[in-house]
Amino acid sequence: MDLSGVSLIGDQAGSTGQDVFRGINPQTGASLEPAFYPATATELEQATALAQEASPVFAALDGVTRAKLLRRIADGLTEEGAAIVERAHLESGLPLPRLQGELGRTTGQLKLFADVLEEGSWVDARIDEALPERKPLPRSDIRSMLRPLGPVAVFGASNFPLAFSVAGGDTASALAAGNPVIVKAHPAHPGTSEIVGQVIQKAIQESGLPAGIFSLLFDSGIEVGVALVKHPQIKAVAFTGSALGGQALMRLAAARPEPIPCYAEMGSTNPLFILPGALRERGASLAQGLQGSFTLGSGQFCTKPGVVFVPDSGSESFVESLSGGVASLGGHQMLTNGIAAKYGNAIEQRVSEGKAQLLACAQSLPDNGGAVGAPAIFSVSLEQFMQHPELSEEVFGPTTLLVHYGAEKDLLAAATSLHGHLTATIHGTDEDLAQAQELVAVLETKVGRILFNGYPTGVEVCHAMVHGGPFPATSDGRSTSVGTQAMLRFTRPVCYQDFPNEALPGELRRENVSGIMRLVNGNLTRVAQS
Amino acid sequence: MDLSGVSLIGDQAGSTGQDVFRGINPQTGASLEPAFYPATATELEQATALAQEASPVFAALDGVTRAKLLRRIADGLTEEGAAIVERAHLESGLPLPRLQGELGRTTGQLKLFADVLEEGSWVDARIDEALPERKPLPRSDIRSMLRPLGPVAVFGASNFPLAFSVAGGDTASALAAGNPVIVKAHPAHPGTSEIVGQVIQKAIQESGLPAGIFSLLFDSGIEVGVALVKHPQIKAVAFTGSALGGQALMRLAAARPEPIPCYAEMGSTNPLFILPGALRERGASLAQGLQGSFTLGSGQFCTKPGVVFVPDSGSESFVESLSGGVASLGGHQMLTNGIAAKYGNAIEQRVSEGKAQLLACAQSLPDNGGAVGAPAIFSVSLEQFMQHPELSEEVFGPTTLLVHYGAEKDLLAAATSLHGHLTATIHGTDEDLAQAQELVAVLETKVGRILFNGYPTGVEVCHAMVHGGPFPATSDGRSTSVGTQAMLRFTRPVCYQDFPNEALPGELRRENVSGIMRLVNGNLTRVAQS
């Protein structure tokens, strides 16, 4: 596919102009061709008008038809896989095998949503049959199911140029639930975004669906994104990125004349708790596993374990082994020069402020114009950690902080003091865990996912996954942005009272042609009404 | 039960003080004994601290135990029924039969939530089994279910002193989902609130549960409510009342250092569409039904039809019949002097501004110190209605507005221009409805419940009910405050990865002792894992 550099407005091409930006190769610092053109205000109006027009048409489609669209997009991404991965590698510096894996994850999640649509029960169909003889008052026939919200604004993320970008989890789940999508492309990978956007555009066209179901807007700054979130036709927002960006969008969404749901996944420090039994039994493998996890993807994962609670007693060889491992590492390729610079500054600040002690640092590479970060590991006492809440804030990149604790009851106090995170991890023996019930109970209120004897990096796309957590990890702790429950974010229940059977959506008709699971008079059943 | 006039802080009594307020009998304007004392800042701290302490204990209970508490509260309300209804009548002026019905609804909804807890499938248990042999990477064992949010602040409503107040739908659904509740009593019915609060307090005590699960705070102003919503231990807010009050709470909840979900049901005008066929076939019965609906409970229902679209052509006798009916009515007892005064002013303003034409008005009663409102009906052309969006704003009381339309396509434009409402109603023949598919598609995006040939007043408590709708009808159009789906508001999914079986919540263990429906590897089943 040729790159045009212009936005995709439904099935139309956006305009070029004076104002341009380019992707940058973070391995060399070199600009990449072609030039990209920010969407104009007119283009944004066109995209939202098309989305609004397409909205009832798309909402009225049955799930099987929407599933076909998702499968067509997945097939298109596979067909264009080589071009997508190659361009994503140029724009992000991420290794090719990682990007190939990420592409598989992206197509896999589209197909998983298609599975859910084809099965159909996800709509939570509920039927309370009329009771015309009830005294003192008869009961009406009352039915409800989940319906789409309307056009969704999706912001591509820098750290997953495929799985959390143009055809990523937010787009897939919003489309699956029947909502048109307008993507604001991340400026760090505009070329990747355009190729993927063209695949979606083509799939919609080949499906004979309204072009307004999808648009892709470019911008190097925040202007287009802000206008999009404020636009009255937009009914929900999905974002993955920094706390700064996410919180700005939350404020915009809440301050609209009509406030709308804003799902911002803003990352976290993902506390990891090493309990005494685990340290005794497998300290060396824990050191190795932890190093692998916090440096994976150069530490640029929202689920990177950034705070690690370690027992004071008996941790010497664990700390030594981890420090030695980190000192032997080289510089790590980062996604952008901006991210690399921010990471470097954060590490320098942590060293100079002296609130935590630098245990080990990788040797930095000479400056060749590329974006490089040096892995680093710090330590602090639990008391100091509790005194400096800023130490629990995310540093995006390959670093982590060991927090040494004495008694396990202090650990409970530390857990209670945590704000929201995406994940928490407990490493322990079964006996450790049996004694840590209170800790688990506290962590349940702090995170979306609790892991036992694992590492939080690597988020499985499945039905039970929760990639969410209370603020400030996300804007809405009742939601997940990964897994099939992500669809629920873009729905609301709608109730139909005393409708004739043929005027109801298919899922709510007496005959239950698709055989979906429904709650009929309080009983879950796939049986049609008699 | 004796009334003490003090707040209930867990199982402790709040303090008296200098500052007092009293309930007022709206039928006479007379003050009612005893005096009530606003909760102090210390009492609020105590209530939140107790709630926070009780939170993990309550969350860890199984559903059957929570169901027992709900049933005990329902039984207690039935036992104290005579005292509750008598006091509610004094404080609200609502007729005794209505209050007896409302008490039945209140106990009925507690028992319905108990049914749902006993069945157990509502937690949306999901299990994706480990795939240790999967290539290139094994899959972990991943399980999720809905868990409680933590302490919920509930604001009692003036217009349903039982069903939307201390033990009403918000409290019942928050408790059912496992959250402690702190109620801010509505100052218009403090005595009713105290009796009901004492019933809940006693039920908790007799169940051997932590007292902090429930507190009841009094205040005649907004101070206690504001402090409650801002309190860091409060994790969600539920409110039923005015747009002014609800929107203020929304802003407070969003502006907290940790923003929290705020469910405010703020009422609406509930557009009702009379299609030509229905007008031809049964204009007279429509006039009668509409009059009954908009004057029911003196028009003090959030679901009152406040805007009625009527065909221009052929509506003369319908309008005449309705006008005649309204003119023959007497003054209607209102809930409070404040509501009566506000209603009177709104009617006067509508008359004096002349944007709509007064068709008929009931004769007002002489001023005897009571709170009285005179039913009134207005009419306007569709063009005028579209030009004056303020005409679609709620007037709380026994009034409605007829909007005369010419072509059905104009009706579609009017529907498209509506903001969010709780309900919309279509009256038509089956042929009318078949031709109104576009109208239904638009209304789906505007309301929580669409009725066919019925009246929106009267909200059934059942599984499929949606009493919600997009802003400004509610703060969160993804939710309902009536029916068993209301529980979902106070939950979030939590995911457990690679947990030993015995460390999991019961609903997620292999053996599925309760036989609940679970999504296992994408398949809904009640079968235990092998």
Side-chain angles (χ1 to χ4, degrees):
Chain A
M1 270 179 196
D2 289 339
L3 293 177
S4 68
V6 297
S7 297
L8 310 180
I9 315 298
D11 56 3
Q12 303 295 307
S15 58
T16 60
Q18 295 293 315
D19 198 11
V20 302
F21 70 101
R22 284 180 172 76
I24 307 282
N25 183 336
Q27 298 184 279
T28 62
S31 284
L32 297 165
E33 291 304 321
F36 282 81
Y37 302 91
T40 63
T42 310
E43 286 162 9
L44 189 141
E45 279 303 326
Q46 290 165 338
T48 51
L50 283 170
Q52 161 69 5
E53 202 183 303
S55 205
V57 183
F58 197 43
L61 292 182
D62 59 44
V64 173
T65 307
R66 286 210 300 273
K68 275 190 193 138
L69 172 64
L70 298 185
R71 292 197 190 282
R72 219 185 270 261
I73 295 170
D75 292 345
L77 293 175
T78 304
E79 271 169 44
E80 295 295 331
I84 291 168
V85 164
E86 186 192 346
R87 180 75 193 190
H89 174 64
L90 282 178
E91 291 181 331
S92 70
L94 292 169
L96 291 171
R98 141 76 195 264
L99 289 165
Q100 273 141 2
E102 193 180 327
L103 182 66
R105 177 197 169 110
T106 307
T107 57
Q109 77 191 353
L110 284 158
K111 290 177 194 168
L112 189 64
F113 284 116
D115 289 347
V116 171
L117 293 178
E118 284 157 358
E119 195 281 329
S121 302
W122 75 276
V123 298
D124 194 13
R126 292 165 176 244
I127 297 172
D128 292 301
E129 293 177 314
L131 300 173
E133 310 299 329
R134 191 181 66 173
K135 302 289 171 203
L137 288 172
R139 181 169 85 180
S140 291
D141 180 282
I142 297 168
R143 294 163 194 253
S144 73
M145 64 179 282
L146 297 177
R147 299 292 292 140
L149 296 180
V152 175
V154 169
F155 288 78
S158 66
N159 60 341
F160 281 86
L162 306 176
F164 282 95
S165 194
V166 180
D170 289 331
T171 299
S173 54
L175 289 177
N179 307 276
V181 168
I182 301 178
V183 175
K184 155 67 177 61
H186 196 285
H189 52 265
T192 312
S193 297
E194 188 185 337
I195 306 175
V196 173
Q198 286 184 17
V199 166
I200 300 177
Q201 196 181 47
K202 191 166 157 233
I204 290 170
Q205 208 162 27
E206 289 176 357
S207 306
L209 296 176
I213 291 170
F214 176 78
S215 289
L216 174 68
L217 307 179
F218 289 114
D219 191 14
S220 59
I222 65 165
E223 203 179 330
V224 169
V226 167
L228 191 59
V229 171
K230 289 168 98 167
H231 199 285
Q233 300 297 7
I234 293 296
K235 299 302 178 191
V237 178
F239 167 90
T240 300
S242 68
L244 200 69
Q247 293 186 23
L249 292 183
M250 284 174 72
R251 281 190 296 272
L252 281 176
R256 288 168 43 119
E258 179 199 0
I260 53 172
C262 176
Y263 300 100
E265 193 271 80
M266 300 176 281
S268 71
T269 349
N270 305 293
L272 188 148
F273 300 84
I274 299 179
L275 300 185
L279 186 67
R280 266 194 309 275
E281 279 190 6
R282 49 190 171 85
S285 95
L286 276 171
Q288 203 182 4
L290 180 61
Q291 182 182 318
S293 182
F294 88 79
T295 60
L296 188 71
S298 305
Q300 300 167 120
F301 283 172
C302 339
T303 51
K304 183 199 75 176
V307 174
V308 180
F309 294 90
V310 190
D312 258 339
S313 137
S315 63
E316 298 75 8
S317 79
F318 166 83
V319 172
E320 228 167 75
S321 155
L322 193 58
S323 301
V326 170
S328 73
L329 294 172
H332 277 42
Q333 176 67 47
M334 306 292 282
L335 286 160
T336 68
N337 283 310
I339 289 173
K342 213 172 151 195
Y343 173 71
N345 292 340
I347 296 299
E348 273 175 33
Q349 196 185 344
R350 191 156 273 192
V351 171
S352 66
E353 285 182 352
K355 289 172 195 160
Q357 182 197 347
L358 181 68
L359 287 180
C361 185
Q363 296 142 24
S364 217
L365 289 185
D367 187 351
N368 68 346
V372 175
I377 184 164
F378 293 83
S379 83
V380 72
S381 71
L382 187 69
E383 293 67 37
Q384 279 228 295
F385 178 76
M386 299 279 280
Q387 277 162 31
H388 299 292
E390 64 276 20
L391 286 173
S392 69
E393 276 161 31
E394 186 179 22
V395 178
F396 196 70
T399 184
T400 197
L401 172 67
L402 304 185
V403 182
H404 291 279
Y405 69 91
E408 282 178 70
K409 70 168 171 39
D410 299 334
L411 200 57
L412 197 63
T416 304
S417 79
L418 292 171
H419 57 50
H421 291 268
L422 293 167
T423 72
T425 302
I426 296 173
H427 276 274
T429 58
D430 283 3
E431 294 71 48
D432 283 334
L433 186 59
Q435 283 170 28
Q437 280 186 10
E438 273 187 279
L439 179 62
V440 172
V442 169
L443 293 178
E444 270 191 10
T445 68
K446 303 286 185 181
V447 307
R449 179 167 55 118
I450 313 177
L451 299 89
F452 185 61
N453 289 344
Y455 296 96
T457 40
V459 182
E460 187 72 35
V461 178
C462 58
H463 303 284
M465 177 50 62
V466 179
H467 185 66
F471 186 88
T474 79
S475 57
D476 188 337
R478 295 162 295 175
S479 67
T480 173
S481 60
V482 176
T484 56
Q485 301 186 70
M487 290 169 71
L488 304 178
R489 296 178 298 167
F490 305 112
T491 64
R492 40 182 288 271
V494 174
C495 176
Y496 306 82
Q497 184 166 326
D498 287 331
F499 264 50
N501 192 53
E502 57 281 7
L504 288 164
E507 291 89 339
L508 295 180
R509 292 187 195 160
R510 302 190 68 82
E511 54 272 22
N512 191 17
V513 170
S514 316
I516 61 172
M517 189 71 76
R518 310 192 292 186
L519 190 70
V520 180
N521 302 323
N523 303 306
L524 285 164
T525 176
R526 293 186 186 272
V527 176
Q529 289 178 272
S530 55
Chain B
M1 268 178 199
D2 288 339
L3 293 177
S4 68
V6 296
S7 297
L8 310 181
I9 314 300
D11 56 4
Q12 302 296 309
S15 57
T16 61
Q18 295 293 315
D19 199 10
V20 302
F21 69 101
R22 283 180 172 77
I24 306 281
N25 183 336
Q27 296 183 281
T28 63
S31 284
L32 296 166
E33 291 305 320
F36 283 82
Y37 302 90
T40 64
T42 309
E43 286 162 9
L44 189 142
E45 279 304 327
Q46 289 167 339
T48 51
L50 283 170
Q52 162 67 7
E53 203 184 302
S55 204
V57 183
F58 197 44
L61 292 182
D62 59 43
V64 172
T65 308
R66 286 209 301 274
K68 276 190 194 139
L69 172 64
L70 297 185
R71 292 198 191 281
R72 219 186 271 262
I73 295 171
D75 292 345
L77 293 175
T78 304
E79 271 170 45
E80 295 295 328
I84 291 168
V85 165
E86 186 193 347
R87 180 75 192 191
H89 174 64
L90 281 179
E91 290 181 330
S92 71
L94 291 170
L96 290 170
R98 143 74 194 264
L99 288 165
Q100 273 141 5
E102 193 181 327
L103 182 66
R105 178 198 169 110
T106 307
T107 57
Q109 79 191 350
L110 283 158
K111 291 177 193 168
L112 188 65
F113 284 116
D115 289 347
V116 171
L117 292 178
E118 283 157 357
E119 197 282 328
S121 302
W122 75 277
V123 298
D124 194 14
R126 291 162 177 247
I127 298 172
D128 291 302
E129 293 177 313
L131 300 173
E133 310 299 329
R134 191 181 66 173
K135 302 291 172 203
L137 287 171
R139 181 168 85 181
S140 291
D141 180 282
I142 298 169
R143 294 162 194 251
S144 72
M145 64 178 281
L146 297 178
R147 299 292 291 142
L149 296 179
V152 175
V154 170
F155 288 78
S158 67
N159 60 340
F160 282 86
L162 306 176
F164 282 95
S165 195
V166 179
D170 289 330
T171 298
S173 55
L175 289 177
N179 307 276
V181 168
I182 300 179
V183 175
K184 155 71 176 61
H186 196 285
H189 51 265
T192 311
S193 298
E194 189 188 335
I195 305 175
V196 173
Q198 286 185 16
V199 166
I200 300 177
Q201 196 182 45
K202 189 167 159 231
I204 290 171
Q205 207 164 27
E206 289 176 357
S207 305
L209 296 175
I213 290 169
F214 176 79
S215 289
L216 174 68
L217 306 180
F218 289 113
D219 191 15
S220 58
I222 64 164
E223 204 180 329
V224 169
V226 167
L228 191 59
V229 171
K230 289 169 98 168
H231 199 284
Q233 301 297 8
I234 293 297
K235 300 302 178 190
V237 178
F239 167 90
T240 299
S242 69
L244 200 70
Q247 293 186 24
L249 293 183
M250 285 175 72
R251 281 190 297 272
L252 281 176
R256 288 167 44 119
E258 179 199 1
I260 53 173
C262 175
Y263 301 101
E265 192 272 81
M266 300 175 281
S268 72
T269 352
N270 305 293
L272 187 147
F273 300 84
I274 299 179
L275 301 185
L279 185 67
R280 267 194 309 275
E281 280 191 4
R282 47 189 172 88
S285 92
L286 276 170
Q288 203 180 2
L290 181 61
Q291 182 183 317
S293 182
F294 88 81
T295 60
L296 189 71
S298 305
Q300 299 167 121
F301 283 174
C302 339
T303 52
K304 183 199 73 176
V307 174
V308 180
F309 294 91
V310 189
D312 258 337
S313 139
S315 62
E316 297 75 9
S317 78
F318 167 83
V319 172
E320 229 166 75
S321 154
L322 194 56
S323 303
V326 170
S328 73
L329 293 173
H332 277 42
Q333 176 66 48
M334 306 292 282
L335 286 161
T336 67
N337 282 311
I339 289 173
K342 214 171 152 196
Y343 173 71
N345 292 340
I347 296 298
E348 273 174 32
Q349 195 184 346
R350 192 155 272 191
V351 171
S352 67
E353 285 180 354
K355 290 170 194 161
Q357 183 198 345
L358 181 68
L359 288 179
C361 186
Q363 297 143 24
S364 215
L365 290 185
D367 187 351
N368 68 345
V372 175
I377 183 163
F378 293 83
S379 85
V380 73
S381 72
L382 187 69
E383 293 67 39
Q384 279 227 294
F385 178 75
M386 299 281 278
Q387 278 163 29
H388 300 291
E390 65 277 18
L391 286 173
S392 68
E393 277 161 30
E394 187 180 23
V395 178
F396 196 71
T399 184
T400 196
L401 172 67
L402 304 185
V403 181
H404 291 279
Y405 70 90
E408 282 177 70
K409 71 168 170 40
D410 299 333
L411 201 57
L412 196 63
T416 304
S417 78
L418 292 172
H419 58 49
H421 292 267
L422 293 167
T423 72
T425 302
I426 296 173
H427 276 272
T429 59
D430 283 4
E431 295 71 48
D432 283 334
L433 186 59
Q435 284 172 27
Q437 280 186 11
E438 273 188 278
L439 179 62
V440 172
V442 169
L443 294 178
E444 270 191 10
T445 68
K446 303 287 185 179
V447 307
R449 179 167 56 120
I450 314 178
L451 299 88
F452 185 61
N453 289 346
Y455 297 94
T457 39
V459 182
E460 186 72 36
V461 179
C462 58
H463 302 286
M465 178 49 63
V466 178
H467 185 67
F471 185 88
T474 78
S475 56
D476 187 336
R478 297 162 294 174
S479 67
T480 173
S481 61
V482 176
T484 56
Q485 301 186 70
M487 289 169 71
L488 304 177
R489 296 177 298 167
F490 305 111
T491 64
R492 38 183 289 272
V494 174
C495 177
Y496 306 82
Q497 185 166 326
D498 288 332
F499 264 51
N501 192 53
E502 58 281 10
L504 288 164
E507 290 91 337
L508 295 179
R509 291 187 195 162
R510 301 189 69 81
E511 53 272 22
N512 192 16
V513 170
S514 317
I516 61 171
M517 188 72 76
R518 310 192 292 186
L519 191 70
V520 180
N521 302 323
N523 302 308
L524 285 165
T525 176
R526 294 187 187 270
V527 176
Q529 286 177 274
S530 55

